[in-house]
Amino acid sequence: MHRVYNFSAGPAVLPEEVLKQAQEDMFDYKGTGMSVMEMSHRSKAFQNIIDEAEQDIRDLMNIPANYKVLFLQGGASQQFAAIPMNLMVNHKAGYIVTGQWAKKAAQEAKKYGEVVELASSADKTFSYIPDVSNLDIPDDLDYVYICQNNTIYGTRFPQLPDTKGKLLVSDVSSMFLSEPVDVTKYGLIYGGVQKNVGPAGLVIDIIREDLIRDDLDSKVPTMLQFKTQADNGSLYNTPNCWSIYICGLVFKWLKKMGGLEAMKKVNEEKAAILYDFLDNSKMFSSTVAKADRSLMNVPFVTGNADIDAKFVAESKAAGFENLKGHRSVGGMRASIYNAMPIEGVKALVEFMDKFEKENQ
C-alpha cells in the first residue's frame, strides 16, 4: 500500500482507521447487503447513521439542547447566502474581513442588506487578525460575522470579537473539531467538512433554535430556509448520505482519540514543530503574525519564487503532497489537520532541513 503525507487544504487527509472501516463497509454495510451509497435516506439503517452522527458531534462539542445540528449541502459557500437570507431581520450585518472567504461572504450578504465592514486585515495581505476587542458596533446590526481560521492565509482569531451583545456567526471550516469550543458564544457556528472532518459535499450548521424563523420573506428558497432543514431533521431532500456516514466515523475516531481536548494538545504539538523550524530557518519563513498563527494551515516562503517551485517539485517527489500555496498567494502551505499524524510533520521538517542545506 502506498500512502503519501497529504498536506492538502481540502479535500484533505482522513484518518486511515476511518478509511479502512469505510472500505470494510463498502460492499455490505452492517449486514444490509448494500453500501451506504446505495441505501435509501428514508431507511432505518440510514436514520441510525445520521442520528448517531448527530449525537456524537453533540457529545464532542458539548452542544446545548437548544441548538440544532443541520447536515446540509452546497458547502460553506452556499451558507454565505443562506445566513443573510435567514438572519438579516434589519437587513444590516457586520463583517470582519480577514481573508478571501470572509470577503466572499460579505459580498454575498450585500445582495440582501447593508454590510458594515467592522475591521479588515486586507492592508497587509490578511497576514494578521485585527484587534477585535473594542469594535464600533452599530445598534441595529443583526449579527457579526467572522471566518475564524483562514485556510489560505494561515491566520486564526486568538480570541473572539466582543460583539457588544450582538449575535456571533462563525465559519470554522478549516478548524472544525480541532479544539474545544464554547458553542453558547455563537448564534450560528458552521463549517464545510472537507478540510478537517470528512469528504467534500457537506456543511454542518449548529444554530440556536430561536434563530430558526418561520416568518421569512416568501422569496427565500425553500431549501435555503433553516426551518425547512431543521423541521425535517436534515432529510427534507436526499442529503449527502456518504459524507454524513464518513463524518460519523470521524466523530467516533475523535472520541476514541480522547475528544477535542486531546486533539488540541496534539495539534499544538504538531504546529510547534513546524513553526519552531520556520522561526529558526535561514531559508524558510512564516508569513503570519506570531500571535495570530493557525494550528491547522501553515503558509511559508523562501522569498525566491524559483526556489519555492523547486521545493514544491522535490517535496512531491519525496512523497509530500499538496504543499503548493494557494494560487492567490503563492509560496507553500502545509495543512496539518487532525488526521495528519505527528510523524508526517516531523518528516516534513526533516525534508525542509535537508533541502535548506542543499540549496543555500
Side-chain angles (χ1 to χ4, degrees):
M1 185 179 74
H2 169 64
R3 293 279 293 169
V4 296
Y5 285 124
N6 177 13
F7 292 93
S8 170
V13 61
L14 283 162
E16 288 192 4
E17 211 174 292
V18 166
L19 295 174
K20 283 177 180 154
Q21 182 64 54
Q23 185 179 37
E24 209 175 292
D25 293 344
M26 179 62 85
F27 205 62
D28 174 10
Y29 177 75
K30 291 192 173 175
T32 58
M34 294 176 282
S35 165
V36 174
M37 285 187 279
E38 302 171 290
M39 64 175 59
S40 164
H41 62 298
R42 304 284 177 211
S43 66
K44 191 168 188 300
F46 185 73
Q47 191 62 55
N48 288 341
I49 288 172
I50 196 169
D51 288 348
E52 259 184 60
E54 177 173 342
Q55 192 52 57
D56 285 337
I57 193 174
R58 282 186 178 278
D59 295 346
L60 282 165
M61 292 177 73
N62 295 317
I63 298 172
N66 66 324
Y67 281 74
K68 290 279 192 200
V69 177
L70 307 178
F71 297 97
L72 308 173
Q73 295 176 73
S77 295
Q78 186 157 285
Q79 294 304 301
F80 297 168
I83 287 162
M85 282 177 173
N86 283 268
L87 301 183
M88 265 190 173
V89 189
N90 300 318
H91 298 287
K92 191 172 179 182
Y95 280 68
I96 298 173
V97 180
T98 52
Q100 195 163 312
W101 302 116
K103 190 176 167 184
K104 284 188 171 174
Q107 282 164 345
E108 196 68 12
K110 282 176 186 164
K111 296 176 181 176
Y112 306 100
E114 186 188 339
V115 168
V116 181
E117 194 176 279
L118 297 170
S120 169
S121 52
D123 61 329
K124 290 185 181 166
T125 331
F126 301 121
S127 59
Y128 72 103
I129 298 291
D131 179 6
V132 293
S133 57
N134 187 21
L135 298 168
D136 182 14
I137 295 184
D139 279 345
D140 55 351
L141 288 192
D142 289 314
Y143 59 86
V144 172
Y145 181 103
I146 62 171
C147 178
Q148 209 165 321
N149 185 89
N150 297 283
T151 325
I152 295 174
Y153 304 95
T155 60
R156 70 184 289 253
F157 278 73
Q159 63 265 324
L160 294 175
D162 178 357
T163 62
K164 316 271 170 84
K166 294 293 169 203
L167 208 61
L168 179 63
V169 174
S170 179
D171 170 358
V172 294
S173 296
S174 51
M175 62 184 289
F176 216 172
L177 300 179
S178 64
E179 57 183 53
V181 59
D182 180 355
V183 174
T184 62
K185 290 185 171 165
Y186 306 85
L188 168 60
I189 179 170
Y190 79 96
V193 303
Q194 74 281 4
K195 297 170 183 297
N196 206 34
V197 187
L202 184 70
V203 58
I204 299 175
D205 280 24
I206 298 154
I207 180 170
R208 216 172 61 213
E209 277 176 350
D210 60 293
L211 301 173
I212 299 172
R213 297 163 47 221
D214 51 14
D215 61 343
L216 289 181
D217 184 322
S218 60
K219 290 191 179 74
V220 175
T222 307
M223 281 287 294
L224 294 186
Q225 293 177 25
F226 292 150
K227 186 166 170 50
T228 303
Q229 303 291 354
D231 286 355
N232 292 281
S234 304
L235 295 169
Y236 174 73
N237 68 323
T238 313
N240 187 328
C241 300
W242 177 252
S243 192
I244 293 168
Y245 154 72
I246 299 281
C247 286
L249 293 182
V250 171
F251 301 156
K252 290 199 183 304
W253 175 77
L254 286 168
K255 279 182 152 180
K256 192 175 147 190
M257 299 299 282
L260 303 190
E261 285 286 354
M263 287 321 297
K264 183 184 186 194
K265 219 172 144 226
V266 176
N267 288 328
E268 285 177 339
E269 208 181 320
K270 287 190 299 195
I273 291 167
L274 189 44
Y275 285 123
D276 286 350
F277 174 78
L278 290 171
D279 289 342
N280 291 298
S281 165
K282 290 187 170 61
M283 174 179 278
F284 297 99
S285 60
S286 160
T287 55
V288 178
K290 234 176 192 172
D292 305 327
R293 288 173 172 177
S294 166
L295 294 180
M296 297 282 104
N297 313 101
V298 184
F300 56 96
V301 293
T302 64
N304 179 316
D306 293 339
I307 293 177
D308 284 357
K310 186 178 185 204
F311 174 81
V312 170
E314 288 186 14
S315 63
K316 187 176 168 68
F320 301 97
E321 283 287 339
N322 297 305
L323 282 167
K324 192 171 193 240
H326 190 272
R327 61 186 182 275
S328 64
V329 289
M332 284 75 68
R333 171 182 54 181
S335 291
I336 49 175
Y337 297 128
N338 284 343
M340 171 57 66
I342 198 160
E343 298 76 37
V345 181
K346 286 177 177 168
L348 174 62
V349 164
E350 273 172 36
F351 176 80
M352 289 168 76
D353 189 43
K354 180 171 164 279
F355 181 89
E356 179 167 340
K357 288 181 175 123
E358 288 168 3
N359 291 276
Q360 264 171 351

